[in-house]
Amino acid sequence: MPGKKFRFSLQSVLRLRQHQTEQAVEALVRLQQERAQLEQRIEVARQQLAQLQRELAANASTTDPAQLRRQETYWLKAQRQLLRLEQQLEQLRHQEAEARALVLERRQAKESLERLRERQYARYLEAETAAEHAWIDEQATGAYVRKLQQRPS
């Protein structure tokens, strides 16, 4: 005795929440990748700055003043570039933290709907089982009554 099929009334909202969660996770992954790339660029910039500083210190006594000023200007430019990269990294970390919080929020919203769906499905199964038992009881009662009626008195 098949009853009506289970239908979760908020299925479209659940699909929307799943999609929003996937988008938030993808955005977080992109930010993490961007942060990793920026961290690599910062490491390279730090190495270059350290190399320039060593060259500047080594050439301080042997280079003419004009060459020394050019090297120092180049070193200052590299230092400013490193500072900009570090500021970008700080912004990315902040964005990543916000994205992580958004993912958590979206997951919680999705999971609450999934739990609601599971509870409704459990109630649906209970109702189906109760209806099936009632139908079986009715059939058994009808068969018993027919059997009693067929007996000679």
Side-chain angles (χ1 to χ4, degrees):
M1 170 181 166
K4 67 179 186 174
K5 188 176 175 182
F6 174 73
R7 184 179 175 289
F8 182 53
S9 61
L10 298 174
Q11 186 63 40
S12 60
V13 176
L14 179 58
R15 273 195 303 271
L16 175 65
R17 297 270 169 87
Q18 288 170 334
H19 180 69
Q20 289 174 336
T21 302
E22 290 168 5
Q23 285 181 322
V25 168
E26 289 171 7
L28 177 60
V29 168
R30 280 193 304 273
L31 284 171
Q32 288 172 333
Q33 290 170 346
E34 195 174 327
R35 179 186 43 81
Q37 291 171 354
L38 188 55
E39 286 173 343
Q40 289 175 344
R41 287 176 51 201
I42 287 173
E43 185 57 35
V44 168
R46 282 185 179 145
Q47 291 171 0
Q48 289 175 345
L49 189 61
Q51 178 64 30
L52 286 173
Q53 194 164 7
R54 283 191 297 273
E55 289 175 9
L56 193 59
N59 296 337
S61 60
T62 59
T63 309
D64 68 285
Q67 177 67 21
L68 191 59
R69 278 194 299 278
R70 282 192 297 274
Q71 286 179 334
E72 187 176 350
T73 302
Y74 186 62
W75 178 79
L76 288 171
K77 182 180 174 186
Q79 193 173 24
R80 283 192 300 272
Q81 175 65 21
L82 177 61
L83 184 61
R84 277 194 297 276
L85 289 174
E86 287 173 341
Q87 288 171 345
Q88 287 177 357
L89 179 62
E90 189 59 36
Q91 288 175 330
L92 266 178
R93 285 182 175 155
H94 180 69
Q95 290 174 349
E96 188 179 343
E98 289 175 349
R100 192 172 280 112
L102 182 63
V103 166
L104 182 61
E105 178 185 318
R106 298 268 167 94
R107 276 191 179 146
Q108 289 173 342
K110 179 187 73 119
E111 288 170 359
S112 67
L113 274 177
E114 287 173 341
R115 283 190 302 272
L116 177 63
R117 182 187 186 285
E118 289 169 3
R119 284 193 305 268
Q120 285 185 2
Y121 186 67
R123 284 195 299 267
Y124 162 80
L125 289 178
E126 288 173 8
E128 283 290 304
T129 302
E132 186 177 324
H133 284 128
W135 183 80
I136 290 171
D137 289 346
E138 188 177 313
Q139 295 299 314
T141 304
Y144 179 73
V145 168
R146 283 190 299 278
K147 196 175 194 179
L148 283 177
Q149 290 173 348
Q150 290 176 355
R151 248 192 215 170
S153 316

